[in-house]
Structures are given as C-alpha cells and as structure tokens.
Amino acid sequence: MVHTGHALAQRGHNVTILADRAAHVEGDPLATWGLERPPSLDFRLCPLSWRPGAGAWFRWNVVQWADAAGRDSIVYAREMKYVQLCPRPLPVVFEAHDNARMVARDRGEEPGPVEALERATLARSAALVANCGGAMGALDEDYGTAQPPLRRPLV
C-alpha cells in the first residue's frame, strides 16, 4: 500500500496515505522502507494505538480529505474495516492480500463475521486489486460475480 501510494506520488499524483500506527515502525515510516517523501505525498500516521480511537481518527481524516478532494479522486484502501467508513460517492479501490473468509476457515475460526465484512467491502468497492494471482483466484472462487467488475492482480 505504501509502495503503491509512493509510486503514484512519484508520477506526480497527489496522494494522501492514512496509516495505522505499526508497533515495529519508529521515526519516519517511509524511511523504514527506504523511500524518500515526494512533494505530492501526504503521509499521515495515526497517533493512536487504541483501536476505537484509531477508527475515529481515520473517519475524521477521510471525511476532511473527501471534502477537499476533487471529483476525480479515489480511495485506495487495504483495511476492510475502513472501506465502510469512506464517504460516498468517492470510489474505493480495495487491495486484497488474501481471501479473509478462507483464512478464517483455515484457522478454525467461524468465517461468518469476516465473510460479511468481506462481502460488504467488495460491494462498496469500485475495483479490486490483489497482490497476487492466488489471492485473486481465491476471491473469484468464493465470491464470483459478487465482486467489483474491475479486478486485477498486481503480479
């Protein structure tokens, strides 16, 4: 996600990244990945590790961003829980790294709640990007046409 946003900013697009605080990242998160900050990249790291507070922080920031964004803007999201918070009519491109229902089932967990969230995420998304063909294939197998019509694996 960070690399995708960075690549878009390197090509001159205005990019805002709203990121959860990762316990393993100290200092400038971009420097952690060896990336320089392009002028058109606004990287906002959530100052809260408390999940309800982080959700409120994200909701406030995305609404503020959406109010200022142009009509040709999109939300590119990685976290299913945040896709539902994105204001309409902004289109969402969701980046999947797996089939969450399948992962829950493989862990011996009840897949119902995560499947409901995954279905809602796919329904809200205008497009789906998967980090590999295997993830895309697993999503195709479980959700078929209940996915965004525009779907592409990154590799």
PDB file of all heavy atoms in Angstrom, residues 13-35:
ATOM      1  N   HIS A  13       1.022  12.378  -9.008  1.00  0.00           N
ATOM      2  CA  HIS A  13      -0.333  12.396  -8.448  1.00  0.00           C
ATOM      3  C   HIS A  13      -0.279  12.864  -7.000  1.00  0.00           C
ATOM      4  O   HIS A  13       0.666  12.563  -6.278  1.00  0.00           O
ATOM      5  CB  HIS A  13      -0.960  10.999  -8.507  1.00  0.00           C
ATOM      6  CG  HIS A  13      -1.112  10.478  -9.897  1.00  0.00           C
ATOM      7  ND1 HIS A  13      -2.125  10.881 -10.737  1.00  0.00           N
ATOM      8  CD2 HIS A  13      -0.362   9.597 -10.602  1.00  0.00           C
ATOM      9  CE1 HIS A  13      -1.998  10.265 -11.899  1.00  0.00           C
ATOM     10  NE2 HIS A  13      -0.933   9.489 -11.844  1.00  0.00           N
ATOM     11  N   ASN A  14      -1.288  13.600  -6.581  1.00  0.00           N
ATOM     12  CA  ASN A  14      -1.408  13.975  -5.176  1.00  0.00           C
ATOM     13  C   ASN A  14      -1.944  12.769  -4.418  1.00  0.00           C
ATOM     14  O   ASN A  14      -3.018  12.250  -4.736  1.00  0.00           O
ATOM     15  CB  ASN A  14      -2.346  15.159  -5.005  1.00  0.00           C
ATOM     16  CG  ASN A  14      -1.752  16.427  -5.562  1.00  0.00           C
ATOM     17  OD1 ASN A  14      -0.552  16.669  -5.441  1.00  0.00           O
ATOM     18  ND2 ASN A  14      -2.576  17.236  -6.209  1.00  0.00           N
ATOM     19  N   VAL A  15      -1.189  12.316  -3.426  1.00  0.00           N
ATOM     20  CA  VAL A  15      -1.523  11.111  -2.681  1.00  0.00           C
ATOM     21  C   VAL A  15      -1.532  11.428  -1.192  1.00  0.00           C
ATOM     22  O   VAL A  15      -0.588  12.047  -0.679  1.00  0.00           O
ATOM     23  CB  VAL A  15      -0.502   9.982  -2.956  1.00  0.00           C
ATOM     24  CG1 VAL A  15      -0.789   8.754  -2.096  1.00  0.00           C
ATOM     25  CG2 VAL A  15      -0.500   9.620  -4.435  1.00  0.00           C
ATOM     26  N   THR A  16      -2.585  11.004  -0.519  1.00  0.00           N
ATOM     27  CA  THR A  16      -2.655  11.074   0.935  1.00  0.00           C
ATOM     28  C   THR A  16      -2.774   9.652   1.452  1.00  0.00           C
ATOM     29  O   THR A  16      -3.676   8.917   1.043  1.00  0.00           O
ATOM     30  CB  THR A  16      -3.864  11.903   1.409  1.00  0.00           C
ATOM     31  OG1 THR A  16      -3.743  13.226   0.887  1.00  0.00           O
ATOM     32  CG2 THR A  16      -3.939  11.955   2.926  1.00  0.00           C
ATOM     33  N   ILE A  17      -1.862   9.268   2.332  1.00  0.00           N
ATOM     34  CA  ILE A  17      -1.917   7.944   2.951  1.00  0.00           C
ATOM     35  C   ILE A  17      -2.271   8.127   4.416  1.00  0.00           C
ATOM     36  O   ILE A  17      -1.606   8.871   5.141  1.00  0.00           O
ATOM     37  CB  ILE A  17      -0.572   7.199   2.823  1.00  0.00           C
ATOM     38  CG1 ILE A  17      -0.254   6.912   1.350  1.00  0.00           C
ATOM     39  CG2 ILE A  17      -0.596   5.904   3.644  1.00  0.00           C
ATOM     40  CD1 ILE A  17       1.092   6.261   1.113  1.00  0.00           C
ATOM     41  N   LEU A  18      -3.355   7.459   4.830  1.00  0.00           N
ATOM     42  CA  LEU A  18      -3.745   7.425   6.235  1.00  0.00           C
ATOM     43  C   LEU A  18      -3.377   6.039   6.734  1.00  0.00           C
ATOM     44  O   LEU A  18      -3.927   5.043   6.267  1.00  0.00           O
ATOM     45  CB  LEU A  18      -5.248   7.659   6.383  1.00  0.00           C
ATOM     46  CG  LEU A  18      -5.800   8.940   5.763  1.00  0.00           C
ATOM     47  CD1 LEU A  18      -7.312   9.001   5.921  1.00  0.00           C
ATOM     48  CD2 LEU A  18      -5.146  10.163   6.382  1.00  0.00           C
ATOM     49  N   ALA A  19      -2.439   5.965   7.668  1.00  0.00           N
ATOM     50  CA  ALA A  19      -1.902   4.667   8.077  1.00  0.00           C
ATOM     51  C   ALA A  19      -2.069   4.428   9.568  1.00  0.00           C
ATOM     52  O   ALA A  19      -1.921   5.356  10.377  1.00  0.00           O
ATOM     53  CB  ALA A  19      -0.420   4.584   7.703  1.00  0.00           C
ATOM     54  N   ASP A  20      -2.367   3.177   9.915  1.00  0.00           N
ATOM     55  CA  ASP A  20      -2.364   2.761  11.311  1.00  0.00           C
ATOM     56  C   ASP A  20      -0.941   2.788  11.829  1.00  0.00           C
ATOM     57  O   ASP A  20       0.012   2.562  11.080  1.00  0.00           O
ATOM     58  CB  ASP A  20      -2.903   1.328  11.459  1.00  0.00           C
ATOM     59  CG  ASP A  20      -4.418   1.268  11.405  1.00  0.00           C
ATOM     60  OD1 ASP A  20      -5.069   2.293  11.671  1.00  0.00           O
ATOM     61  OD2 ASP A  20      -4.942   0.183  11.103  1.00  0.00           O
ATOM     62  N   ARG A  21      -0.820   3.018  13.108  1.00  0.00           N
ATOM     63  CA  ARG A  21       0.499   3.004  13.741  1.00  0.00           C
ATOM     64  C   ARG A  21       0.940   1.556  13.889  1.00  0.00           C
ATOM     65  O   ARG A  21       0.266   0.748  14.493  1.00  0.00           O
ATOM     66  CB  ARG A  21       0.428   3.667  15.109  1.00  0.00           C
ATOM     67  CG  ARG A  21       1.759   3.625  15.850  1.00  0.00           C
ATOM     68  CD  ARG A  21       1.768   4.574  17.017  1.00  0.00           C
ATOM     69  NE  ARG A  21       1.660   5.969  16.624  1.00  0.00           N
ATOM     70  CZ  ARG A  21       2.648   6.679  16.066  1.00  0.00           C
ATOM     71  NH1 ARG A  21       3.794   6.117  15.804  1.00  0.00           N
ATOM     72  NH2 ARG A  21       2.481   7.946  15.755  1.00  0.00           N
ATOM     73  N   ALA A  22       2.060   1.230  13.291  1.00  0.00           N
ATOM     74  CA  ALA A  22       2.629  -0.114  13.411  1.00  0.00           C
ATOM     75  C   ALA A  22       3.656  -0.103  14.537  1.00  0.00           C
ATOM     76  O   ALA A  22       4.504   0.788  14.597  1.00  0.00           O
ATOM     77  CB  ALA A  22       3.283  -0.536  12.098  1.00  0.00           C
ATOM     78  N   ALA A  23       3.565  -1.081  15.419  1.00  0.00           N
ATOM     79  CA  ALA A  23       4.454  -1.125  16.581  1.00  0.00           C
ATOM     80  C   ALA A  23       5.921  -1.218  16.174  1.00  0.00           C
ATOM     81  O   ALA A  23       6.791  -0.732  16.882  1.00  0.00           O
ATOM     82  CB  ALA A  23       4.067  -2.302  17.467  1.00  0.00           C
ATOM     83  N   HIS A  24       6.202  -1.823  15.030  1.00  0.00           N
ATOM     84  CA  HIS A  24       7.588  -2.030  14.610  1.00  0.00           C
ATOM     85  C   HIS A  24       8.193  -0.848  13.854  1.00  0.00           C
ATOM     86  O   HIS A  24       9.359  -0.874  13.507  1.00  0.00           O
ATOM     87  CB  HIS A  24       7.683  -3.291  13.748  1.00  0.00           C
ATOM     88  CG  HIS A  24       6.909  -3.192  12.474  1.00  0.00           C
ATOM     89  ND1 HIS A  24       5.552  -3.385  12.430  1.00  0.00           N
ATOM     90  CD2 HIS A  24       7.290  -2.892  11.221  1.00  0.00           C
ATOM     91  CE1 HIS A  24       5.136  -3.213  11.183  1.00  0.00           C
ATOM     92  NE2 HIS A  24       6.168  -2.924  10.431  1.00  0.00           N
ATOM     93  N   VAL A  25       7.403   0.193  13.601  1.00  0.00           N
ATOM     94  CA  VAL A  25       7.900   1.338  12.835  1.00  0.00           C
ATOM     95  C   VAL A  25       8.158   2.503  13.784  1.00  0.00           C
ATOM     96  O   VAL A  25       7.268   2.944  14.483  1.00  0.00           O
ATOM     97  CB  VAL A  25       6.879   1.752  11.746  1.00  0.00           C
ATOM     98  CG1 VAL A  25       7.336   3.016  11.043  1.00  0.00           C
ATOM     99  CG2 VAL A  25       6.670   0.636  10.757  1.00  0.00           C
ATOM    100  N   GLU A  26       9.391   2.961  13.804  1.00  0.00           N
ATOM    101  CA  GLU A  26       9.753   4.136  14.593  1.00  0.00           C
ATOM    102  C   GLU A  26      10.304   5.192  13.652  1.00  0.00           C
ATOM    103  O   GLU A  26      10.941   4.881  12.660  1.00  0.00           O
ATOM    104  CB  GLU A  26      10.798   3.767  15.647  1.00  0.00           C
ATOM    105  CG  GLU A  26      10.263   2.809  16.707  1.00  0.00           C
ATOM    106  CD  GLU A  26      11.283   2.515  17.780  1.00  0.00           C
ATOM    107  OE1 GLU A  26      12.218   3.321  17.954  1.00  0.00           O
ATOM    108  OE2 GLU A  26      11.140   1.476  18.437  1.00  0.00           O
ATOM    109  N   GLY A  27      10.055   6.451  13.977  1.00  0.00           N
ATOM    110  CA  GLY A  27      10.532   7.536  13.122  1.00  0.00           C
ATOM    111  C   GLY A  27       9.680   7.649  11.866  1.00  0.00           C
ATOM    112  O   GLY A  27       8.496   7.347  11.868  1.00  0.00           O
ATOM    113  N   ASP A  28      10.286   8.078  10.791  1.00  0.00           N
ATOM    114  CA  ASP A  28       9.577   8.277   9.527  1.00  0.00           C
ATOM    115  C   ASP A  28       9.307   6.914   8.881  1.00  0.00           C
ATOM    116  O   ASP A  28      10.244   6.194   8.520  1.00  0.00           O
ATOM    117  CB  ASP A  28      10.420   9.146   8.587  1.00  0.00           C
ATOM    118  CG  ASP A  28       9.714   9.460   7.284  1.00  0.00           C
ATOM    119  OD1 ASP A  28       8.568   8.991   7.073  1.00  0.00           O
ATOM    120  OD2 ASP A  28      10.304  10.172   6.453  1.00  0.00           O
ATOM    121  N   PRO A  29       8.030   6.522   8.735  1.00  0.00           N
ATOM    122  CA  PRO A  29       7.717   5.215   8.148  1.00  0.00           C
ATOM    123  C   PRO A  29       8.276   5.046   6.739  1.00  0.00           C
ATOM    124  O   PRO A  29       8.682   3.951   6.366  1.00  0.00           O
ATOM    125  CB  PRO A  29       6.190   5.175   8.135  1.00  0.00           C
ATOM    126  CG  PRO A  29       5.767   6.216   9.091  1.00  0.00           C
ATOM    127  CD  PRO A  29       6.841   7.253   9.123  1.00  0.00           C
ATOM    128  N   LEU A  30       8.315   6.104   5.960  1.00  0.00           N
ATOM    129  CA  LEU A  30       8.850   5.984   4.605  1.00  0.00           C
ATOM    130  C   LEU A  30      10.328   5.631   4.630  1.00  0.00           C
ATOM    131  O   LEU A  30      10.792   4.821   3.829  1.00  0.00           O
ATOM    132  CB  LEU A  30       8.611   7.271   3.814  1.00  0.00           C
ATOM    133  CG  LEU A  30       7.155   7.583   3.498  1.00  0.00           C
ATOM    134  CD1 LEU A  30       7.040   8.956   2.848  1.00  0.00           C
ATOM    135  CD2 LEU A  30       6.551   6.524   2.615  1.00  0.00           C
ATOM    136  N   ALA A  31      11.060   6.214   5.564  1.00  0.00           N
ATOM    137  CA  ALA A  31      12.490   5.908   5.681  1.00  0.00           C
ATOM    138  C   ALA A  31      12.694   4.446   6.065  1.00  0.00           C
ATOM    139  O   ALA A  31      13.671   3.822   5.635  1.00  0.00           O
ATOM    140  CB  ALA A  31      13.137   6.828   6.705  1.00  0.00           C
ATOM    141  N   THR A  32      11.764   3.891   6.832  1.00  0.00           N
ATOM    142  CA  THR A  32      11.845   2.481   7.209  1.00  0.00           C
ATOM    143  C   THR A  32      11.868   1.590   5.979  1.00  0.00           C
ATOM    144  O   THR A  32      12.543   0.563   5.957  1.00  0.00           O
ATOM    145  CB  THR A  32      10.640   2.105   8.103  1.00  0.00           C
ATOM    146  OG1 THR A  32      10.662   2.932   9.260  1.00  0.00           O
ATOM    147  CG2 THR A  32      10.677   0.653   8.513  1.00  0.00           C
ATOM    148  N   TRP A  33      11.148   1.996   4.944  1.00  0.00           N
ATOM    149  CA  TRP A  33      11.102   1.224   3.699  1.00  0.00           C
ATOM    150  C   TRP A  33      12.131   1.734   2.679  1.00  0.00           C
ATOM    151  O   TRP A  33      12.121   1.312   1.533  1.00  0.00           O
ATOM    152  CB  TRP A  33       9.707   1.269   3.092  1.00  0.00           C
ATOM    153  CG  TRP A  33       8.717   0.442   3.863  1.00  0.00           C
ATOM    154  CD1 TRP A  33       8.737  -0.910   4.046  1.00  0.00           C
ATOM    155  CD2 TRP A  33       7.571   0.923   4.542  1.00  0.00           C
ATOM    156  NE1 TRP A  33       7.672  -1.299   4.807  1.00  0.00           N
ATOM    157  CE2 TRP A  33       6.932  -0.186   5.125  1.00  0.00           C
ATOM    158  CE3 TRP A  33       7.009   2.174   4.734  1.00  0.00           C
ATOM    159  CZ2 TRP A  33       5.770  -0.100   5.878  1.00  0.00           C
ATOM    160  CZ3 TRP A  33       5.847   2.274   5.487  1.00  0.00           C
ATOM    161  CH2 TRP A  33       5.254   1.150   6.036  1.00  0.00           C
ATOM    162  N   GLY A  34      12.966   2.666   3.088  1.00  0.00           N
ATOM    163  CA  GLY A  34      13.989   3.190   2.184  1.00  0.00           C
ATOM    164  C   GLY A  34      13.428   4.119   1.120  1.00  0.00           C
ATOM    165  O   GLY A  34      14.009   4.248   0.042  1.00  0.00           O
ATOM    166  N   LEU A  35      12.310   4.765   1.408  1.00  0.00           N
ATOM    167  CA  LEU A  35      11.651   5.634   0.431  1.00  0.00           C
ATOM    168  C   LEU A  35      11.801   7.099   0.825  1.00  0.00           C
ATOM    169  O   LEU A  35      11.672   7.449   2.002  1.00  0.00           O
ATOM    170  CB  LEU A  35      10.153   5.294   0.348  1.00  0.00           C
ATOM    171  CG  LEU A  35       9.794   3.857  -0.020  1.00  0.00           C
ATOM    172  CD1 LEU A  35       8.287   3.627   0.116  1.00  0.00           C
ATOM    173  CD2 LEU A  35      10.251   3.539  -1.429  1.00  0.00           C
TER     174      LEU A  35
END
